[in-house]
Amino acid sequence: DFNKDFFVTWSPSHVNTSTDGTARSLKLDNNSGSGFASNDMFLFGQIDMPIKLIPGYSAGTVVTFYLTSDQPNRDEIDFEFLGTVPGEPYILQTNVFADGFDDREERISLWFDPTKDFHTYSILWNLYQIVFMVDWVPIRTYRNHADKGVAFPRWQPMSIKISIWNGESWATHGGKDKIDWSRGPFTASFKNYKIDACVWKGNARLCRAGSETNWWNKDRYNSLTWTQRRWFKWVRKYHMIYDYCQDNNRFQNNLPKECSLPKY
């Protein structure tokens, strides 16, 4: 129930919730964007969020679904959907902040039209790995290589945040295509989400423990399955547009350490 599990953080007049609380939409117009956040914070688990993105001309708009600790040295796990012009695929950008550092963007083009129907975007986060999934297909992993000096989100609880906003300065073709307000308002819809995660009650040990309820910490979730690996390779072969681990210019031939470590 969106009314029970979340609170509106931004522009209540732009947030529309169904009477039974199972569906919600966010609106962006030339007055404001909008957003909401979870009442609870979580440390590890899986969150599935079915989303239907903005149809038609959506250039310059950004729809986000992410986890964030909101601390100065913040941890964050991001899905960012970058608006598009008709005829071009929607771009999904993912990012990971660990200990306040980001610069870990990846971009893929989606292999379906995400504006026609709801598709489920999931984050699995445990002691071993973060897995970004689209309709249960893993599109990205970020492994816990903390023992090798790579920062990994593992101590800070995070809340779920969802928003729609004006990103025309960068979102579409590097900011070339702006928002066309005459086509607004722009609306993204959410429904039937599932939060299966450890609710933060001040004790990291409880969330890090292996137990029946903390199923995500079990050994079988410490890497991708063979089937998942096949899908993962398929996405990266045919739909990857940008990978920070291949951007030598940006990092002046000194790529982040995790780039040379296993992905699963």
Side-chain angles (χ1 to χ4, degrees), residues 12 34 122 173 220 248:
S34 48
S122 307
H173 297 136
R220 56 188 274 221
N248 274 307

Side-chain angles (χ1 to χ4, degrees), residues 91-236:
I91 303 285
L92 168 53
Q93 175 167 291
T94 55
N95 201 356
V96 175
F97 286 71
D99 263 349
F101 294 98
D102 68 333
D103 282 351
R104 295 190 175 95
E105 298 93 345
E106 288 188 6
R107 289 184 178 187
I108 64 162
S109 60
L110 293 169
W111 51 92
F112 51 83
D113 182 345
T115 70
K116 289 268 191 287
D117 208 347
F118 285 89
H119 291 267
T120 303
Y121 303 90
S122 307
I123 294 165
L124 168 67
W125 170 36
N126 61 27
L127 285 163
Y128 316 105
Q129 61 177 353
I130 294 162
V131 184
F132 295 80
M133 291 174 278
V134 175
D135 293 333
W136 291 274
V137 170
I139 61 158
R140 176 176 185 175
T141 60
Y142 184 80
R143 284 200 69 71
N144 183 349
H145 290 300
D147 58 334
K148 299 183 181 72
V150 176
F152 183 83
R154 56 196 169 128
W155 298 106
Q156 300 186 60
M158 299 202 246
S159 59
I160 304 165
K161 295 200 171 179
I162 293 191
S163 59
I164 183 170
W165 43 279
N166 175 352
E168 67 177 6
S169 64
W170 64 277
T172 311
H173 297 136
K176 188 166 68 71
D177 289 310
K178 306 296 186 190
I179 293 182
D180 178 355
W181 296 111
S182 72
R183 297 169 192 257
F186 303 96
T187 304
S189 309
F190 311 84
K191 70 170 188 183
N192 299 338
Y193 61 88
K194 185 179 178 191
I195 301 170
D196 195 353
C198 184
V199 177
W200 177 252
K201 297 212 164 42
N203 187 340
R205 265 212 328 270
L206 293 176
C207 292
R208 296 167 72 86
S211 69
E212 277 314 301
T213 43
N214 294 1
W215 58 264
W216 47 85
N217 284 339
K218 291 186 173 173
D219 282 352
R220 56 188 274 221
Y221 298 103
N222 70 4
S223 188
L224 299 183
T225 66
W226 288 107
T227 309
Q228 285 181 315
R229 290 175 192 195
R230 281 209 303 275
W231 280 113
F232 179 78
K233 287 174 182 164
W234 173 80
V235 170
R236 299 178 83 77

